[in-house]
Amino acid sequence: MPQPPPIPAPLPLADHPEWQAWFDGSALPNPGRIGLGAILRGPEGQQLEYSGLAADGGCNNEAELLALGKALEMARDSGARRLIVRGDSDFAVRHLRGEAHTRVAHLHELILQMQPLLAGFASVRLEWIPRHRNPDADRLSRAALGLPDKPAAKPGLLKKKRRR
């Protein structure tokens, strides 16, 4: 009777290519309907985009967490093992890194729901980026709500209030 082929050893972490994701969520009004935007870019240049409405309404922080969750799901479903996730939500990034905690029950529950998604990757790095460096995910979250793109802010050209 022939022997089955041996099961190959898993690749070392360094041999898994790094994927990148961006996320943004919008609530209109705040609280209100929630639009989600997520972008996933693979190591070979492949790109997936998501623009959609959340099933339920909520606040801007819920929108950001749900958009981050969508980015994680897209990465998981695409086979990513190493992931960098970037978003302009200080709330979402700090809470999922464990650097902040909330007493708001429904936000705390959403954060807990993200933990198994994060644990499913060999490595995940969550990074906060300024809003002007997240225009594509913002465009997708706004499009889900039927909103036009925001005009791009130009860093360093913003008017400063004069002190009197």
Side-chain angles (χ1 to χ4, degrees), residues 1 53 58 92 129:
M1 180 176 240
L53 291 172
I129 57 173

Short mmCIF file of all heavy atoms in Angstrom, two decimals, residues 1 53 58 92 129:
data_model
loop_
_atom_site.label_atom_id
_atom_site.label_comp_id
_atom_site.label_asym_id
_atom_site.label_seq_id
_atom_site.Cartn_x
_atom_site.Cartn_y
_atom_site.Cartn_z
N MET A 1 0.85 -1.18 0.00
CA MET A 1 0.00 0.00 0.00
C MET A 1 0.90 1.24 0.00
O MET A 1 1.80 1.35 0.83
CB MET A 1 -0.88 -0.04 1.25
CG MET A 1 -1.82 1.10 1.37
SD MET A 1 -2.85 0.87 2.81
CE MET A 1 -4.42 0.83 2.06
N LEU A 53 -22.17 49.64 3.46
CA LEU A 53 -22.87 50.12 4.65
C LEU A 53 -22.88 49.04 5.72
O LEU A 53 -22.99 47.85 5.42
CB LEU A 53 -24.33 50.47 4.32
CG LEU A 53 -24.55 51.69 3.43
CD1 LEU A 53 -26.01 51.78 3.03
CD2 LEU A 53 -24.11 52.95 4.17
N GLY A 58 -24.66 53.71 14.00
CA GLY A 58 -23.87 53.91 15.21
C GLY A 58 -23.03 55.17 15.11
O GLY A 58 -23.24 56.01 14.23
N ALA A 92 -9.58 53.48 17.37
CA ALA A 92 -9.52 52.07 16.97
C ALA A 92 -8.12 51.50 17.17
O ALA A 92 -7.94 50.41 17.72
CB ALA A 92 -9.97 51.90 15.52
N ILE A 129 -2.26 56.71 11.15
CA ILE A 129 -1.72 57.63 10.15
C ILE A 129 -2.60 58.87 10.13
O ILE A 129 -3.79 58.81 10.47
CB ILE A 129 -1.64 57.00 8.74
CG1 ILE A 129 -3.00 56.49 8.27
CG2 ILE A 129 -0.60 55.89 8.69
CD1 ILE A 129 -3.03 56.01 6.83
#
